[in-house]
Amino acid sequence: MTFHERTNVQTSEPMTSVASVSSDQISRSRRPVLALGAVIGAGVVASSCAAQAPQDTWSPAGENAQMIHNLQWPIFAVAGIVGLIVFAAVGYAVWKFRDRGQPIPEQTHGKPALEIALTILPAVILAVIAVPTVSTIFALADTTDTECVVNVTGQQWWWEYDYPIADDGSICGFMPTAGNASPIITSGQMVLPVGTKVLVRGTSRDVIHSYWIPRLNGKKDMVPGRVHYLRLETDTPGIYAGQCTEFCGLSHANMRMEVIALERADFQKWLDNELKPYQAPETAAAKAGETVFIQQCARCHQINGLVDPINGELVVSAPDQFVWSGAAPNLTNLMMRNTFAGATWDLLSPQCRARVWEAAPEEFGERFLEGVTPECLNTVDLREWLRNSPAKKPMYADAEMLEVTDGKTRGMPYLALSEDQIDLLIAYLLERK
Amino acid sequence: MFTTGSKLLLGSTALAVVFAIVYGVTAQGTLGVFGLLSAAVALGLIAGINIYSGDANVSVDDTAAATVAAAARQAPTGSPWPVVGVAGIALVMIGLVTTSMVTVIGLVAILAAVIEWMLQAWSEHGSADEAYNGEIRARLANPLEMPILATIFAAIVILGFSRIMLALSKVGTVVAFSVIAAVVLFIAFLMAAKTAVASRTLGGVVAIGVIALVAGGAVAAVSGERDMHVIETTAALAERGQCGTEPSEADKKASQTVAAKSNQAATVTLDADGSLSVSVPGFSPSAQSVTLPRSNPNNVLFRNQSDHERRLVIDLGPSGDSESKTLCTALVEPGAVQLLTVMFDKPSFAVEGGHRFTVPGVDTAVLKVVVP
């Protein structure tokens, strides 16, 4: 019997007995399927639980994230209740009126009272939700109470941070102990003082990226040619992890970032360390490594204060001539960071990394400011990176791909460094802190 | 079993496979091989359908028609397409030693000849009825031919008009096209006034118009375009080192407003007292410096609050082979604004004296730019 035939059949046979028998048979046959579905469903729900979730949107660690948290909880509750009611109603209707061979019941069209109610009710719910939502959006867009500005620039596939100098010579409200300030520029990890209202002024050099530190605020797209603002603040020292959340090319998944929150005294130490003059290499290996750096790396990577011993002039990188985005990470104090290559790999060995990440808030600053010591260096990943960076992090190393960028690379190219050169470079970089 | 059409399609399939192999071995391009193999599969599929449907030829089902039909006995009618095909081959040869455009025209002519010739041959074997054969040809070919012919006609008209417009002077263009428009209107009026116009007359008038247009276009193309006046920009001004106080052509029609949706990194204001200050969200207004990132376009809004027309200038320092590169806005009227997009290739410490915004004619207007 086809569907069309059935719609026209008028039967006098009572449906209840047929329905009860078939329902019973069906329920027995479907029990294993339902049980399996329940187990899979429980597994899916359980998989969202994690002991260590550094990018958990449900554990805010600052005023801005707390504002979002305060908003999302009641909205999640309302949406959850509405969702449950809708799913329950749909489930009830599907089960109650399932196909048991019965004729199609008489169709009714239009029920004004119900339709008006189902229009007004969601409108009222949305209107109620809109009030705190709009209020929170405006509060998160406020830039008048800023105490510290950090310029954040995204490019394939890393983040650059620079700290502008205020008219009084301060950076983020901190006066350099040694006197004159010069611009601080770093990458991968943004260092902030706790209890400070920070304003990120973000943009991008190539494609659209998105900056997101889930425990500190919502995400913000960084569009080339535009400047976007994002508030950050936390009261607890520690590391807050993030991830680019706008697909930006081959290594989008390898474009990470971390915010390092330091006590105010520790931030002052970090600031002073960043502003100290260039330290000439001490060991013979490091001195030789400086030469390798100038020959192989300095055309893209800047180390402030580095002087070419051959001509006695400051070494000025020119990444705009070699890299599509026009920029490469400034490596002035590389070993004061815990990560490299877009915060994708750790500069610290697993044990030393755990010591920093798992430090209590009152101990965190001291451990972070130790930087990377020779004993703690993650030589495995760093050596692999220097040996063949495009093999470790996909970066369009194919020559055909470079035709569209006029020969410029996206990210770091393969440099064909020898093992000896890598040893010397590591010796030199280890002293950059 | 194998009809004329199926032989053609099977041959084309085999040819596509051979080309794919040859291309794969010589050029080693996977995309080309993939395309040619796709063509082979498509042609093979059509060949199979063709064999199955008997080439859609009535003679397959009605074998008598093949022997008694007039179309079967008559010699093929005259066709211009062999001549077009040969001309196309000649053009390809000429193009190989002259310019690629001639080769392309030759290839198009060959393609058109092959398709049209095949269509003609196919339709002539459709049935014994010549009128019917003409009809099935039209049904198949017209949807393809009409848009192509219309496009060619439109291209001739547009190209002819544009060449004439570019060759004549500004005033001459206005006069010429006023006259042409008046003539077209007059002829149209005459035709509309008549109760009936023979199609031959109408066709003749249109033909004369097209010939005149093509001839005029050809003459105009040969004589070349008139001298165009290029409006000067501030980039040319900066290149000549003339970002000073003197007004130039670049300043005459410069915009004095900026869209509200523009997104600026900083707002630089020239105050009435001759000082430059900068405003950046998150910072208190500063009269000393502004920090802008390197290797990234920075949109700086210049607001002129003085009583005179002024422009904002920045020296970007050495760039590539050039010793120094300067950028400037056009002259900005009092109370007006303009955007200056600046990109720094080098950090401030690498440029002697650093980067500075200045305003020609106002010595006190200096603002330091810090590029980390």
Side-chain angles (χ1 to χ4, degrees):
Chain A
M1 186 183 288
T2 65
F3 173 80
H4 294 291
E5 285 169 331
R6 234 192 293 149
T7 55
N8 297 323
V9 168
Q10 297 297 318
T11 175
S12 58
E13 189 180 342
M15 295 302 299
T16 49
S17 60
V18 176
S20 63
V21 170
S22 59
S23 169
D24 196 37
Q25 288 171 340
I26 290 165
S27 64
R28 270 202 300 272
S29 65
R30 288 183 181 170
R31 263 178 210 157
V33 178
L34 289 172
L36 183 65
V39 169
I40 292 172
V44 169
V45 171
S47 69
S48 63
C49 303
Q52 288 186 324
Q55 298 183 70
D56 189 355
T57 52
W58 295 94
S59 356
E63 184 191 347
N64 304 294
Q66 190 63 50
M67 276 194 272
I68 295 173
H69 192 69
N70 294 345
L71 181 68
Q72 72 181 358
W73 255 120
I75 289 179
F76 184 78
V78 170
I81 291 167
V82 171
L84 281 175
I85 292 170
V86 170
F87 279 117
V90 170
Y92 173 78
V94 167
W95 181 255
K96 174 79 175 171
F97 304 108
R98 67 188 184 280
D99 184 7
R100 288 162 294 181
Q102 74 274 39
I104 299 295
E106 185 186 348
Q107 302 293 297
T108 57
H109 297 281
K111 198 138 190 174
L114 188 64
E115 287 170 12
I116 290 169
L118 288 179
T119 304
I120 290 176
L121 188 63
V124 169
I125 293 172
L126 289 175
V128 170
I129 286 173
V131 174
T133 302
V134 173
S135 166
T136 304
I137 288 171
F138 274 85
L140 288 172
D142 184 22
T143 61
T144 57
D145 56 356
T146 302
E147 296 168 317
C148 167
V149 174
V150 181
N151 291 328
V152 176
T153 309
Q155 51 267 294
Q156 291 171 325
W157 292 273
W158 57 283
W159 294 93
E160 179 183 271
Y161 306 103
D162 76 75
Y163 295 71
I165 308 165
D167 271 5
D168 61 359
S170 67
I171 293 175
C172 273
F174 289 77
M175 292 301 293
T177 308
N180 288 341
S182 58
I184 295 174
I185 184 162
T186 180
S187 63
Q189 291 179 319
M190 174 167 35
V191 180
L192 303 175
V194 296
T196 304
K197 295 186 189 308
V198 177
L199 184 68
V200 165
R201 298 177 67 241
T203 187
S204 164
R205 286 193 171 103
D206 40 35
V207 299
I208 301 176
H209 301 279
S210 191
Y211 197 84
W212 193 27
I213 306 291
R215 295 189 66 198
L216 299 185
N217 202 338
K219 61 182 75 170
K220 180 69 77 175
D221 276 8
M222 303 300 182
V223 182
R226 297 189 69 80
V227 180
H228 304 273
Y229 299 95
L230 178 71
R231 294 160 58 94
L232 293 179
E233 185 187 1
T234 181
D235 293 325
T236 313
I239 300 180
Y240 301 95
Q243 165 75 47
C244 177
T245 50
E246 180 72 43
F247 180 71
C248 55
L250 205 55
S251 260
H252 163 65
N254 294 320
M255 188 172 174
R256 296 164 182 267
M257 56 277 210
E258 288 170 3
V259 166
I260 309 294
L262 297 176
E263 292 286 4
R264 296 180 68 80
D266 290 330
F267 183 81
Q268 180 75 56
K269 288 179 191 168
W270 175 82
L271 186 83
D272 290 338
N273 185 71
E274 290 291 315
L275 292 172
K276 74 178 188 305
Y278 178 74
Q279 304 291 313
E282 292 174 359
T283 64
K287 280 177 187 163
E290 184 186 60
T291 306
V292 176
F293 184 88
I294 292 171
Q295 291 168 345
Q296 298 283 348
C297 315
R299 59 185 171 177
C300 292
H301 293 288
Q302 183 71 45
I303 286 189
N304 297 351
L306 175 62
V307 176
D308 190 338
I310 294 173
N311 54 24
E313 292 181 0
L314 272 176
V315 175
V316 180
S317 65
D320 52 295
Q321 293 176 30
F322 304 102
V323 187
W324 179 244
S325 67
N330 184 304
L331 302 180
T332 301
N333 288 305
L334 175 67
M335 292 298 158
M336 286 307 291
R337 305 167 206 168
N338 288 174
T339 61
F340 69 100
T344 307
W345 287 280
D346 290 297
L347 278 169
L348 292 172
S349 62
Q351 297 83 358
C352 295
R353 179 186 184 276
R355 190 169 168 271
V356 178
W357 272 78
E358 293 167 12
E362 58 276 11
E363 295 174 335
F364 174 77
E366 187 186 343
R367 292 188 184 179
F368 175 77
L369 290 173
E370 287 173 8
V372 181
T373 59
E375 301 74 38
C376 276
L377 181 66
N378 174 11
T379 49
V380 176
D381 284 324
L382 187 57
R383 290 189 75 88
E384 282 180 2
W385 176 257
L386 293 172
R387 197 173 288 132
N388 189 352
S389 51
K392 194 160 178 67
K393 182 175 180 177
M395 293 185 294
Y396 299 114
D398 186 348
E400 281 186 25
M401 295 288 188
L402 299 182
E403 286 177 12
V404 294
T405 57
D406 197 20
K408 294 179 181 177
T409 61
R410 292 178 190 267
M412 187 162 145
Y414 170 61
L415 295 173
L417 296 174
S418 67
E419 293 301 310
D420 288 344
Q421 285 177 313
I422 292 172
D423 287 339
L424 298 175
L425 266 179
I426 290 176
Y428 173 66
L429 292 173
L430 259 173
E431 294 185 8
R432 302 302 102 209
K433 56 190 285 194
Chain B
M1 179 187 172
F2 292 107
T3 61
T4 307
S6 63
K7 287 175 192 166
L8 175 72
L9 289 164
L10 286 171
S12 302
T13 306
L15 206 60
V17 172
V18 170
F19 280 163
I21 293 167
V22 171
Y23 186 84
V25 171
T26 57
Q28 296 182 340
T30 51
L31 195 64
V33 173
F34 185 75
L36 285 164
L37 287 178
S38 300
V41 171
L43 285 164
L45 183 69
I46 298 169
I49 294 170
N50 197 279
I51 292 166
Y52 180 76
S53 65
D55 207 8
N57 195 331
V58 291
S59 61
V60 174
D61 297 325
D62 182 9
T63 49
T67 53
V68 302
R73 294 194 299 271
Q74 285 176 352
T77 54
S79 171
W81 298 113
V83 177
V84 173
V86 170
I89 292 169
L91 284 173
V92 169
M93 297 300 178
I94 294 166
L96 289 174
V97 292
T98 55
T99 173
S100 58
M101 181 54 76
V102 177
T103 309
V104 172
I105 294 170
L107 288 173
V108 170
I110 292 170
L111 189 68
V114 168
I115 293 171
E116 289 289 349
W117 201 0
M118 281 165 50
L119 274 173
Q120 187 179 343
W122 169 78
S123 65
E124 282 172 351
H125 290 81
S127 74
D129 185 349
E130 202 170 326
Y132 173 77
N133 292 349
E135 190 182 327
I136 59 170
R137 185 207 170 280
R139 280 181 63 190
L140 192 69
N142 281 1
L144 184 69
E145 289 174 344
M146 291 303 173
I148 291 174
L149 288 174
T151 306
I152 292 171
F153 181 73
I156 289 170
V157 171
I158 292 167
L159 200 65
F161 272 132
S162 65
R163 293 308 97 188
I164 294 169
M165 282 174 148
L166 287 168
L168 295 174
S169 66
K170 277 174 77 175
V171 177
T173 304
V174 173
V175 171
F177 281 89
S178 298
V179 171
I180 291 169
V183 169
V184 171
L185 187 66
F186 179 68
I187 293 171
F189 174 77
L190 283 181
M191 289 188 166
K194 292 178 76 79
T195 50
V197 180
S199 59
R200 186 171 291 182
T201 308
L202 192 62
V205 170
V206 172
I208 290 168
V210 171
I211 290 166
L213 186 63
V214 171
V219 171
V222 170
S223 66
E225 297 178 8
R226 67 173 182 269
D227 291 334
M228 299 288 177
H229 178 66
V230 179
I231 302 290
E232 193 178 52
T233 63
T234 51
L237 208 62
E239 202 170 323
R240 293 202 306 271
Q242 293 178 347
C243 287
T245 52
E246 291 300 312
S248 70
E249 189 188 41
D251 302 314
K252 280 181 186 170
K253 292 182 178 176
S255 172
Q256 301 293 326
T257 56
V258 173
K261 282 187 175 179
S262 70
N263 188 263
Q264 58 266 10
T267 301
V268 175
T269 305
L270 175 65
D271 295 314
D273 62 0
S275 63
L276 271 184
S277 63
V278 62
S279 166
V280 177
F283 272 122
S284 303
S286 168
Q288 292 184 17
S289 69
V290 58
T291 303
L292 295 172
R294 180 185 177 188
S295 295
N296 209 25
N298 298 283
N299 295 322
V300 177
L301 188 76
F302 176 52
R303 189 181 298 280
N304 181 11
Q305 301 286 47
S306 72
D307 299 330
H308 300 87
E309 286 189 335
R310 297 294 181 196
R311 75 172 90 241
L312 187 68
V313 178
I314 187 162
D315 186 351
L316 299 176
S319 175
D321 296 334
S322 66
E323 285 188 1
S324 187
K325 186 182 175 187
T326 303
L327 288 179
C328 63
T329 64
L331 281 175
V332 179
E333 295 168 359
V337 292
Q338 210 171 95
L339 215 54
L340 181 65
T341 302
V342 194
M343 191 152 96
F344 303 95
D345 292 339
K346 290 187 166 46
S348 301
F349 67 80
V351 177
E352 197 176 335
H355 299 105
R356 287 170 201 284
F357 281 120
T358 55
V359 176
V362 186
D363 295 339
T364 52
V366 179
L367 185 73
K368 186 180 171 190
V369 182
V370 178
V371 181

